[in-house]
Amino acid sequence: MPNIAIIGSQWGDEGKGKIVDWLSEKADVIVRFQGGHNAGHTLVVNNITYKLKLLPSGIIRKNKISIIGNGVVIDPWALLEEIKQLEKLGIKITNKNLFIAENATLILPPHKELDAIREDSKNTDKIGTTRRGIGPAYEDKVGRRAIRLMDLANKKNLSKKINMMLFHHDSIRKGLKKNKINKKKLIKDLVKISSKILKYSKPVWKKLEEFKKKKKKILFEGAQGILLDIDHGTYPFVTSSNTVVGSALSGTGCGPKTINYILGIVKAYTTRVGEGPFPTELKNELGNRIGKRGNEFGTVTNRKRRCGWFDAVLVKQSCIISGINGIALTKIDVLDHFKDIYVCVGYKLNGKKINYFPSSLNDQFKVKPIYKRFKGWLKNTKGIKKWNDLPTNAKKYINFIKSYCNVKISSVSTSPKREDTILLQNPFKG
Ligand code: GDP
Ligand code: IMO
Ligand code: MG
């Protein structure tokens, strides 16, 4: 039985949560490997809506192991709050069903503050971040001054490590004319919660090795999307982690052969939250209609998502960059009532046709989409569970995406509900 990695293949919010939850029925272990609580994954099960940020989407099923890998940046207070909220909904979370990598790095209040300062500054380009401290936390990780989960276990060492981190932060803050960080308070606050979070701490790479030996089925749950990848995305309008499949390995401590199937989650149109280029964006009534029908409001920040037509060039590029084996196409029902539906199949740049998205930000803003028009199906697809029940024009649209991207369609999702999903090719069967 293969292990699967689930990767957002646009600008995030493709419906990863729904698909991870749906597939996790057949999995034993569900693992988050990058990002933090900038992610917002929505699941609708038995008419209850769960909004997960840091916890893997398998957490709501019984008898599954959920893992947060070392590649994730963890705000310990946000994590404890999320656990509390889920417990209120009757979900049991213990150190038997949740493991957190002992070497995962933490998001602390100075990170969050710095994120907000930069976003509000008139001197820097606004990225439109989630203001959760993600960027500054990853900077500290790469700068070798981050606090790791395991550091909470040793108060003496913690104090030394916080000194290193604050040496950096206080120098930045001095330049910004901000107060020094109150070190005593920071340590006191961390010590106060340390036992609540340390109980989940484990050498995750070792646990995963044990699960692999026992032939347990592992689902790797990506956050964000390939176009928000720090290397391959629309830099600098990206998040601060690699969102491509390689992160599932480095962010957990597994070798490449661990993953047998890479499932790209793709929305039937395009959305983006925050700033940055978006060639097929519809800044008009059509865009508003898509947003309304798709309920396109951010799970984390409640911001209105920008909406536009499906960009096949971008999705094809994502499929290549992350080695996608199959596409889970979501939200086809949102397009039910459009007379004409458009798909971007190329761009015009400086009068020339190109068939890829260039890396230069200037060019990314400049490209003009070349569209192919599809006749809408003007019929309800919401809740359809069988391919044959889809209207012919919807099938044509989906088949075009398959042939343009040269990737099989593994499933089609027709509503937010777990069960409203058409299975075409089971990723667990490869
Ligand atoms: P994620 O970040 O990729 O997990 O996606 P989000 O949860 O942020 O956003 C996807 C939204 O679309 C959520 O509100 C889901 O409940 C909803 N959703 C998922 N699949 C479908 C679908 O097939 N149809 C419709 N109408 N909504 C869906
Ligand atoms: P899920 O997992 C959509 C976007 C932010 C911003 C940029 C950088 O739900 O798909 P950050 O706070 O990460 O430094 O913000 O990335 N962003 C997302 N957009 N879905 C997400 O996650 C996102 N996580 C971050 O809006 O443009
Ligand atoms: Mg989301």
Side-chain angles (χ1 to χ4, degrees), residues 2-125:
N3 301 320
I4 305 171
I6 289 194
I7 306 292
S9 304
Q10 290 153 313
W11 275 294
D13 302 325
E14 299 89 350
K16 297 177 289 294
K18 164 174 170 167
I19 300 298
V20 173
D21 166 62
W22 175 63
L23 281 175
S24 62
E25 185 191 0
K26 301 263 183 318
D28 303 296
V29 183
I30 298 91
V31 195
R32 272 283 305 270
F33 52 86
Q34 48 69 234
H37 64 316
N38 49 348
H41 298 176
T42 317
L43 285 51
V44 184
V45 182
N46 298 331
N47 290 323
I48 303 175
T49 300
Y50 301 89
K51 289 180 186 289
L52 302 172
K53 298 179 181 97
L54 263 168
L55 290 166
S57 297
I59 196 83
I60 67 158
R61 288 193 188 254
K62 284 187 186 146
N63 305 321
K64 309 283 169 189
I65 303 285
S66 288
I67 294 184
I68 299 180
N70 55 279
V72 175
V73 280
I74 301 168
D75 178 328
W77 294 279
L79 178 70
L80 293 175
E81 180 58 29
E82 192 174 334
I83 291 175
K84 198 167 116 193
Q85 293 306 325
L86 282 178
E87 282 177 340
K88 273 190 197 160
L89 292 172
I91 307 296
K92 270 214 168 127
I93 302 174
T94 69
N95 58 358
K96 297 276 182 295
N97 70 344
L98 175 64
F99 305 164
I100 306 180
E102 57 188 5
N103 51 344
T105 52
L106 302 184
I107 301 183
L108 298 176
H111 298 128
K112 210 169 147 182
E113 210 187 318
L114 189 55
D115 196 354
I117 290 171
R118 287 175 182 161
E119 281 294 286
D120 294 335
S121 166
K122 289 190 179 65
N123 300 319
T124 57
D125 264 348

Side-chain angles (χ1 to χ4, degrees), residues 15 36 58 69 82 160 238 246 258 329 338 360 383-384 415 426:
E82 192 174 334
K160 264 198 221 156
V238 290
T258 306
L329 192 72
F338 290 84
S360 142
I384 287 183
S415 104
N426 185 348

Side-chain angles (χ1 to χ4, degrees), residues 11-13 16 38-41 128-130 223-224 228 238-239 273 303:
W11 275 294
D13 302 325
K16 297 177 289 294
N38 49 348
H41 298 176
T129 72
T130 58
Q224 289 82 52
L228 288 169
V238 290
T239 192
V273 210
R303 284 176 293 174

